[in-house]
């Protein structure tokens, strides 16, 4: 039926303890918390309506509804926790990071390009670096983040590496402006310099690894952008009602996707190409829209809007502290995933953490005003 992570069992219990103790009162009084709750309920309703109309199999709709219910539980619990005391964010990420590394080691999962990107090694090591930033000088933290970003690109994890290098550039600019970042000629010049340096590092690292990874990267681009194109076609054909959970009614679009990508993939030397009779776009917004219609997409659209507002606040308007790197990497990474990653079980906690940070920042701004 799907995976349930240990944190997803512990979080609701801890959240209930905070509510009972009265520490969650500020979160429960905040409008943003209840807006996300409402958006989550609307998403679940969208899936139910679309599955009933599409005649989705019981196995598929139960898996999808369960995924949505657990996501809602995760984001509510983490929002209560983050809104009660921002220090809980640091400790939660510390626990998840150490737990991930212990799991990978005890299950004999070796460190390689695949596990760095898809099994959690890269993410765990990055978060460990950001957690250690609490104890380190800013410049040393920035240097470690740059090293991690370059290593990620050399491990063929392009988006993770690029976002990490972007984080390092932003922290360098903010280092001289710890209270807030005002728009001035000097600060704009720093942004331009940081942007050029980050771009050059990405381009050089990509060029140096091009011979080794060019075919795989080319195939990935073909598949991702092909899926986005067909996904847009699908939601245009049926913008209000989805095709059902897990793409059960998408055989037509699966064939369109095959025709869109097969020739280019074979040109890139891909000899083993596996297609199915269902289609899901590699995008959280488009996938939820295709599965559950406009009601389900509403959650991710609202989430995206709040992500952008929170990113602007953290980069320009918020004081610099030990959580700033964690906030930036989570918000920017979630914005990328919203467009370029699937809505799957292993993304639940990431989405929930980003929602919790949005809620925490909103409460923080309200208290400051």
């Amino acid at each position: 039926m799907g995976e349930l992570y240990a944190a997803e069992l512990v979080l609701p219990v801890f959240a209930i303890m905070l509510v009972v103790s009265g520490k969650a009162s500020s979160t429960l009084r905040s409008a943003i918390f209840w807006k996300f709750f409402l958006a989550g309920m609307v998403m679940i309703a969208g899936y139910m309506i679309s599955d009933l109309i599409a005649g989705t199999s019981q196995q598929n709709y139960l898996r999808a509804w369960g995924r949505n219910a657990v996501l809602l539980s995760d984001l509510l619990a983490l929002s209560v926790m983050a809104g009660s005391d921002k220090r809980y964010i640091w400790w939660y990420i510390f626990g998840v990071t150490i737990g991930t590394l212990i799991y990978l080691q005890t299950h004999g999962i070796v460190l390689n390009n695949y596990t760095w990107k898809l099994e959690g090694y890269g993410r765990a090591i990055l978060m460990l670096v950001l957690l250690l930033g609490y104890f380190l000088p800013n410049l040393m933290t920035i240097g470690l983040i740059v090293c991690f970003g370059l290593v990620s690109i050399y491990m063929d994890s392009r988006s993770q590496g690029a976002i990490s290098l972007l984080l390092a550039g932003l922290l360098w600019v903010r280092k001289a402006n710890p209270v807030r970042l005002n728009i001035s000629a000097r600060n704009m010049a720093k942004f331009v310099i940081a942007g050029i340096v980050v771009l050059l590092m990405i381009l050089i690292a990509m060029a140096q690894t091009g011979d080794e990874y060019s075919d795989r990267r080319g195939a990935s681009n073909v598949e991702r952008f092909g899926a986005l194109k067909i996904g847009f076609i699908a939601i245009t054909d049926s913008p209000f009602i989805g095709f059902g959970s897990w793409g059960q009614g998408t055989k037509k679009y699966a064939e369109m996707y095959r025709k869109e990508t097969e020739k280019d993939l074979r040109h890139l030397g891909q000899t083993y190409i596996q297609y199915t009779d269902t289609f899901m776009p590699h995008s959280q917004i488009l996938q939820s829209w295709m599965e559950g219609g406009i009601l389900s997409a509403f959650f991710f659209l609202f989430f995206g809007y709040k992500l952008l507002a929170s990113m602007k606040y953290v980069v320009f308007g918020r004081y610099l502290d030990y959580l700033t790197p964690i906030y930036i990497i989570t918000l920017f990474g979630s914005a990328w995933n919203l467009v370029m990653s699937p809505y799957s079980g292993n993304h639940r906690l990431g989405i929930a953490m980003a929602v919790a940070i949005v809620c925490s920042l909103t409460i923080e701004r309200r208290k400051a005003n």
Side-chain angles (χ1 to χ4, degrees):
M1 292 297 292
E3 292 181 324
L4 191 66
Y5 301 103
E8 294 177 314
L9 299 175
V10 176
L11 284 172
V13 177
F14 186 58
I16 291 171
M17 291 171 60
L18 290 173
V19 171
V20 172
S21 69
K23 294 180 179 180
S25 58
S26 60
T27 305
L28 298 179
R29 289 197 304 267
S30 65
I32 188 66
F33 175 81
W34 294 108
K35 286 177 181 178
F36 270 111
F37 171 74
L38 178 61
M41 294 300 294
V42 169
M43 176 179 67
I44 291 174
Y47 269 87
M48 290 181 172
I49 293 169
S50 294
D51 282 329
L52 290 173
I53 294 175
T56 305
S57 68
Q58 185 181 56
Q59 180 182 10
N60 279 345
Y61 73 66
L62 286 178
R63 285 174 61 211
W65 297 0
R67 175 190 60 188
N68 296 335
V70 174
L71 171 63
L72 185 59
S73 171
D74 291 345
L75 69 86
L76 292 177
L78 279 169
S79 296
V80 165
M81 184 185 74
S84 300
D85 190 332
K86 68 179 184 179
R87 290 174 295 184
Y88 290 142
I89 298 174
W90 193 94
W91 283 108
Y92 165 76
I93 292 176
F94 174 79
V96 170
T97 298
I98 298 302
T100 299
L101 292 172
I102 291 174
Y103 173 85
L104 292 170
Q105 287 296 303
T106 55
H107 285 73
I109 300 175
V110 298
L111 176 60
N112 55 39
N113 290 2
Y114 177 84
T115 59
W116 179 273
K117 180 178 181 179
L118 297 177
E119 294 292 343
Y121 265 116
R123 177 72 179 179
I125 293 171
L126 172 59
M127 299 314 294
L128 193 60
V129 168
L130 300 186
L131 291 168
L132 288 174
Y134 178 79
F135 307 98
L136 301 175
N138 286 337
L139 276 178
M140 186 176 293
T141 301
I142 293 170
L144 289 174
I145 295 170
V146 168
C147 291
F148 174 86
L150 292 174
V151 169
S152 288
I153 295 176
Y154 280 94
M155 297 289 281
D156 199 28
S157 183
R158 293 173 294 172
S159 60
Q160 188 175 65
I163 293 173
S164 298
L165 292 173
L166 175 63
L167 167 62
L170 290 173
L171 291 178
W172 177 76
V173 174
R174 283 299 310 269
K175 183 173 68 69
N177 302 269
V179 178
R180 60 178 297 156
L181 186 64
N182 296 315
I183 302 299
S184 65
R186 183 179 179 181
N187 286 333
M188 288 303 296
K190 287 185 176 181
F191 263 115
V192 171
I193 293 170
I196 291 173
V197 172
V198 167
L199 181 60
L200 285 175
M201 285 193 289
I202 293 172
L203 292 176
I204 291 170
M206 291 283 287
Q208 290 181 341
T209 57
D211 291 341
E212 185 176 359
Y213 301 130
S214 60
D215 288 345
R216 196 216 65 82
R217 288 171 176 171
S220 175
N221 291 339
V222 168
E223 291 170 342
R224 283 177 182 269
F225 290 106
L228 289 175
K229 177 180 178 180
I230 303 304
F232 275 114
I233 293 172
I235 63 171
T236 301
D237 290 345
S238 183
F240 300 109
I241 302 298
F243 297 92
S245 296
W246 303 108
Q248 184 170 315
T250 58
K251 186 175 182 179
K252 166 187 172 182
Y253 301 102
E255 179 62 21
M256 292 172 65
Y257 174 68
R258 184 189 68 78
K259 292 179 179 179
E260 178 71 25
T261 59
E262 187 173 26
K263 182 179 178 181
D264 289 335
L265 290 175
R266 295 200 183 281
H267 180 72
L268 289 167
Q270 302 293 309
T271 56
Y272 179 71
I273 307 172
Q274 188 176 11
Y275 292 100
T276 66
D277 60 357
T278 59
F279 169 75
M280 282 286 100
H282 211 264
S283 163
Q284 291 171 1
I285 291 179
L286 292 180
Q287 181 182 335
S288 63
W289 204 327
M290 278 194 67
E291 287 184 314
I294 188 64
L295 292 180
S296 296
F298 172 76
F299 171 84
F300 286 100
L301 292 170
F302 177 69
F303 177 41
Y305 168 72
K306 289 298 180 181
L307 275 178
L308 293 176
S310 297
M311 288 159 60
K312 178 183 176 183
Y313 171 60
V314 171
V315 172
F316 294 101
R318 186 180 182 273
Y319 55 89
L320 193 66
D321 68 359
Y322 68 98
L323 285 175
T324 300
I326 293 173
Y327 286 168
I328 292 176
I329 205 72
T330 302
L331 296 174
F332 278 68
S334 294
W336 170 267
N337 291 335
L338 202 61
V339 180
M340 300 300 291
S341 294
Y343 174 33
S344 55
N346 61 344
H347 282 283
R348 281 195 307 262
L349 286 170
I351 295 169
M353 187 72 259
V355 169
I357 288 172
V358 169
C359 289
S360 177
L361 291 172
T362 303
I363 293 170
E364 178 182 284
R365 293 182 71 180
R366 186 192 69 193
K367 289 180 177 179
N369 296 330

